[in-house]
Amino acid sequence: MEKRPEHGANASLLPSTGIGSRFSNLNNSFKHCLRSLLTSCSKEEFYKAFSSFSNTEKELLHRLFLQIITSLHENIQDGFETVCLQTQVGATLDAVEEIVEEQDLDVLFSDRSNIMVVAENLSMAKKNEIQHLMQLVQLGEEHNQMLRTRLQLLKEGNQVLSGASQAVEKFKSMNSNYGTYSSDGIHDV
């Protein structure tokens, strides 16, 4: 893969809006990270890793290592730039940058987001209040059902008592009538 020139004949490969600061920052950060990853082994550490080799062999291996790292660095950088071009990262980041700038210039944008936060908070508070009221209604219904059950039991108990009371009255009536019949029968004899 060839390294993409940023100026000159192939400049048309760059995003049509040019390189924005966000894309430039992304590209520079990638290069920094790549460089630090690929150059993390010092010459002394490299020589320690190959301590059983002669100095000439170590030097040749180190040069080969540097050539491989350099080639790898270029290939990874080219691959990154190709992916950025294919996925239009530069154009996307430019669009994001433009939107952010517009929002910074729009005085009402922050007010709108504050209004949305207030609306969300109010909505959540109302939902919580409705849930609390529904729980209170449910507790009230349970309490009413308990009272209905107790009232039904009391009515049933009252009917039992009323039936017993009627039986006692009937027994008294029969008892008093028996006394009347028996005393009438004594006088007749």
Side-chain angles (χ1 to χ4, degrees), residues 23 108 115:
F23 181 71
L108 297 177
I115 290 171

Side-chain angles (χ1 to χ4, degrees), residues 28-93:
N28 288 336
S29 296
F30 181 78
K31 285 179 184 178
H32 251 329
C33 292
L34 186 61
R35 188 176 308 120
S36 65
L37 287 174
L38 296 178
T39 58
S40 61
C41 181
S42 69
K43 191 172 188 176
E44 291 80 24
E45 291 172 346
F46 187 85
Y47 280 13
K48 281 182 187 176
F50 296 100
S51 59
S52 63
F53 288 81
S54 70
N55 285 339
T56 308
E57 291 171 328
K58 288 179 192 177
E59 185 64 35
L60 288 173
L61 283 173
H62 189 258
R63 270 192 250 148
L64 180 62
F65 172 74
L66 290 178
Q67 288 174 352
I68 291 171
I69 290 299
T70 303
S71 176
L72 184 62
H73 183 274
E74 289 174 359
N75 288 340
I76 291 173
Q77 183 64 35
D78 288 345
F80 175 75
E81 290 172 357
T82 301
V83 168
C84 287
L85 283 173
Q86 289 173 349
T87 58
Q88 299 178 348
V89 171
T92 304
L93 289 175

Side-chain angles (χ1 to χ4, degrees), residues 5-21:
E6 293 183 7
H7 302 290
N10 291 330
S12 62
L13 295 176
L14 293 172
S16 61
T17 58
I19 296 180
S21 65

Side-chain angles (χ1 to χ4, degrees), residues 56-151:
T56 308
E57 291 171 328
K58 288 179 192 177
E59 185 64 35
L60 288 173
L61 283 173
H62 189 258
R63 270 192 250 148
L64 180 62
F65 172 74
L66 290 178
Q67 288 174 352
I68 291 171
I69 290 299
T70 303
S71 176
L72 184 62
H73 183 274
E74 289 174 359
N75 288 340
I76 291 173
Q77 183 64 35
D78 288 345
F80 175 75
E81 290 172 357
T82 301
V83 168
C84 287
L85 283 173
Q86 289 173 349
T87 58
Q88 299 178 348
V89 171
T92 304
L93 289 175
D94 287 345
V96 167
E97 190 170 1
E98 202 172 300
I99 290 170
V100 168
E101 287 175 6
E102 287 175 8
Q103 289 174 353
D104 286 344
L105 295 175
D106 187 0
V107 177
L108 297 177
F109 179 77
S110 62
D111 292 341
R112 271 187 257 146
S113 59
N114 288 341
I115 290 171
M116 293 304 294
V117 169
V118 169
E120 287 176 17
N121 290 343
L122 183 60
S123 175
M124 184 60 72
K126 289 298 178 184
K127 285 179 184 177
N128 290 340
E129 186 178 351
I130 289 170
Q131 188 177 20
H132 176 71
L133 291 173
M134 289 177 72
Q135 288 173 346
L136 289 177
V137 167
Q138 184 178 0
L139 287 173
E141 288 175 352
E142 290 172 1
H143 182 71
N144 285 346
Q145 184 60 38
M146 185 181 71
L147 290 176
R148 283 188 202 107
T149 304
R150 288 177 78 191
L151 185 60

